[in-house]
Amino acid sequence: MDHQNGSVGVVEKQCFELERYTTVGGQLIPRLRVGYETYGTLAPGADNVVLVAHHFSGNSHCAGYYSEGDPVPGYWDAIIGPGKAIDTDRYFVISCDTLVNLNVADPNTITTGPASLDPSRGRPYAMRFPVVTVADFVRVQKALLESLGIERLVAAIGPSAGAMQALQWGVDYPEWVGRVICAIGPGLSTPAYSIAQFGTWCAYIRQDPSWRNGDYYEEGPPLAGMSNALALLTLNALHFDGIERAFAGRRADPDRDPATSWDARFRVQEHIEQIGSARASAIDANSFLYMVKGLQQFSVRERLAELRAPVLFLPAASDLLYPPQLSHAAAEQLGALGKQAEVFVIEGDGGHLDGLGRIEQAAAPIERFLREGLST
Amino acid sequence: MDHQNGSVGVVEKQCFELERYTTVGGQLIPRLRVGYETYGTLAPGADNVVLVAHHFSGNSHCAGYYSEGDPVPGYWDAIIGPGKAIDTDRYFVISCDTLVNLNVADPNTITTGPASLDPSRGRPYAMRFPVVTVADFVRVQKALLESLGIERLVAAIGPSAGAMQALQWGVDYPEWVGRVICAIGPGLSTPAYSIAQFGTWCAYIRQDPSWRNGDYYEEGPPLAGMSNALALLTLNALHFDGIERAFAGRRADPDRDPATSWDARFRVQEHIEQIGSARASAIDANSFLYMVKGLQQFSVRERLAELRAPVLFLPAASDLLYPPQLSHAAAEQLGALGKQAEVFVIEGDGGHLDGLGRIEQAAAPIERFLREGLST
């Protein structure tokens, strides 16, 4: 195969609207809007569709550029494009901003969540927005696909929270889904450990007096809590070795020994905090809480009988957030049930984030899996 | 050997005082006081001393009971006592409350730190207390030992932060230390990852308006921040498998589905938060920050030439706080320098805490190492 490393180029964010959406939990969301992107061409039979679902803090921008001068492509640009693993000369790729997406201040994200106007009150929902789960994300995506005349997916695929959505697709709509690819996912359910860990992120927000039980849209957001939550999330998504390589022994100020005063610190502390602060104002704190709440509910364990699609798990070797053992255990459990499942490990010392930054390692397994399924 | 599983019985907390102590950083602490415990009998030649250094949130109570009715023994009671691995029929065991010990509200802890009265101001030091490091903990311990006529240790030994102190003993006073045992330690230095991770604990405290830059001793402590810090620390000290075994799928309220409302949660969330809340009022927030600051500075990497004692590393297989690879790497590095070092892994799914709760697995290696050194 000739990997020409082509780009899908400048992409356009589109908007999908539903007049009314009833959540899996039975609550009504009127005037639901979510953004989406597509790359490649929908075949006349609509039989070449690959759905890519995004991670916790991401959006539907998984390939290409927002403009000619845009320096950074979509998060999985390394594997999505003409001639790449998910070959847009062959497949019609579609990705959708989730409900309760975090990036409400980003003009390139369209979502409906706690920061949206509650039409019945003329003010943001805040914590009055219905609780939604991964099954809701998937149900909205299905409505979008149906609106485009699509009734079948070559594959549902995604990293991290996107891996949850891909598996949820597999059990909720087994007749739709040909294959499932779970990159850096938690396996068949969100582990109890992760449920608690997500809670530690949220605790900073809840502890911030500016959070005001979610009603901060007039007075100003809980930036301190949001910054600390993002700093911890960032650290959880990295690994000892990568951090050590970059920061071992480095001081924030080379002339000041951290052992001598409170003002002097190590560079790694500053680095993590700066990442948190830099992103805090772009992210809505309530949406963060809602996204966590949704991901905490993820489990397909009781639904495995319904799964038809073979599953390819792509854990990252150094992932501390969802250690690779979770993917191995999931594949074993599926195998024990007579399902097809396989694991390919992404090597590196970058932790969970290797599922984004080092995904190219999995290009050949992904390309082959999409064309042929599992070798076994 | 006959492990009679004897107990050292009821132990007495004693107090060591120094009129003046000058920190490694050159600052004066007047009237320094720290508590200590001893078990067994000091030999006439004072040549049977084992020093046990305690972990982050612990104190010198590593064996025995505070009273006849005390239900819980010291943290390493499984390996310290007559006929046990650290045999008090043979060794004189001594353990010392560190400077800036967290448990200032505990009547069984004696320490000097930010909650102590600054004699020059007649008020607690708060954040005006000097920054102290693991080297200071060790230097104070040495002064205590000298006051008892001791000039040599069979071994310096400890879990976690105690492992740091044990290695620090080995490089700061090599002529004193016969052996070093590092249980669930970070290896030869605090990893940059851990430095940042400790910072995420502290961020809850610093973010709490009640912290007041440390001057909370009149108005009341930052309990919310302290609770959240302890909850995160607790989670970091556990492991996916142990948590999953105990909490998978369990709801806080069996009748309420966490997917349906914000009030309904998973039991694991409640559990971790309850641990944090339960301990928060017993722990001084400033002391927590000082202890973190001290541990962040730990490194013997530049001092390895001075180390004479063989080192036994006892990592826990499921430790996420200081993964076992850190101990293996440390042992390899020491070996490459011609030093004696060995690793024995404590098995279990309890994470970092297995270095306390499952230490008995290492009883035979510890007993043999104390008597004979390393086999190689």
Side-chain angles (χ1 to χ4, degrees), chain A residues 189-273:
Chain A
S189 63
T190 301
Y193 188 94
S194 306
I195 288 173
Q197 188 169 39
F198 298 168
T200 66
W201 304 343
C202 297
Y204 295 109
I205 295 169
R206 293 175 170 279
Q207 196 191 296
D208 190 329
S210 298
W211 179 56
R212 295 184 176 84
N213 295 309
D215 289 317
Y216 56 75
Y217 293 101
E218 288 179 18
E219 290 87 346
L223 278 181
M226 194 68 252
S227 299
N228 284 325
L230 291 166
L232 177 55
L233 180 160
T234 300
L235 187 68
N236 289 162
L238 295 169
H239 184 263
F240 284 81
D241 292 346
I243 290 275
E244 197 70 8
R245 199 161 41 80
F247 294 107
R250 283 183 60 195
R251 299 171 174 177
D253 176 344
D255 296 330
R256 305 196 66 189
D257 180 358
T260 58
S261 93
W262 281 102
D263 302 333
R265 304 199 304 162
F266 288 101
R267 175 73 187 112
V268 67
Q269 300 177 264
E270 204 177 61
H271 174 74
I272 294 295
E273 289 177 17

Side-chain angles (χ1 to χ4, degrees), chain B residues 57-297:
Chain B
S57 64
N59 72 2
S60 56
H61 190 49
C62 55
Y65 298 86
Y66 283 135
S67 66
E68 290 294 345
D70 187 354
V72 182
Y75 63 86
W76 262 3
D77 191 83
I79 54 165
I80 301 172
K84 293 182 182 173
I86 303 173
D87 186 350
T88 52
D89 288 339
R90 178 178 192 130
Y91 302 114
F92 178 70
V93 176
I94 184 164
S95 184
C96 181
D97 298 338
T98 61
L99 289 170
V100 304
N101 189 290
L102 272 54
N103 309 284
V104 300
D106 172 14
N108 288 307
T109 301
I110 305 170
T111 188
T112 305
S116 305
L117 273 195
D118 176 354
S120 73
R121 296 170 63 249
R123 286 194 290 163
Y125 286 97
M127 300 302 279
R128 295 162 204 88
F129 194 75
V131 171
V132 291
T133 65
V134 171
D136 288 300
F137 300 175
V138 164
R139 198 184 273 195
V140 170
Q141 288 160 7
K142 178 165 168 279
L144 162 61
L145 293 172
E146 287 173 333
S147 78
L148 301 173
I150 296 165
E151 291 181 343
R152 167 143 187 81
L153 295 173
V154 173
I157 168 172
S160 200
M164 299 183 192
Q165 295 169 64
L167 260 181
Q168 191 78 45
W169 261 104
V171 299
D172 282 357
Y173 308 109
E175 70 283 4
W176 275 65
V177 183
R179 319 216 189 290
V180 168
I181 303 181
C182 296
I184 53 169
L188 304 176
S189 62
T190 301
Y193 188 94
S194 306
I195 289 173
Q197 190 169 35
F198 298 168
T200 66
W201 304 343
C202 297
Y204 294 110
I205 295 170
R206 294 176 170 279
Q207 197 193 295
D208 190 328
S210 298
W211 179 57
R212 296 184 175 83
N213 295 308
D215 289 318
Y216 55 76
Y217 292 102
E218 289 180 17
E219 290 87 347
L223 277 181
M226 193 69 251
S227 299
N228 284 324
L230 290 166
L232 177 55
L233 180 159
T234 300
L235 187 68
N236 288 161
L238 295 170
H239 184 262
F240 284 81
D241 292 347
I243 291 273
E244 196 71 7
R245 197 161 43 80
F247 294 107
R250 284 182 59 195
R251 298 171 175 177
D253 177 345
D255 296 330
R256 305 196 66 187
D257 180 357
T260 58
S261 93
W262 280 101
D263 302 333
R265 303 198 306 160
F266 288 101
R267 175 73 187 113
V268 66
Q269 301 177 266
E270 204 176 61
H271 173 74
I272 294 295
E273 289 177 16
Q274 283 170 349
I275 290 179
S277 304
R279 296 188 65 188
S281 57
I283 286 184
D284 175 57
N286 288 339
S287 300
F288 188 102
L289 300 179
Y290 270 88
M291 180 62 77
V292 159
K293 179 78 169 171
L295 301 189
Q296 286 174 325
Q297 315 308 319

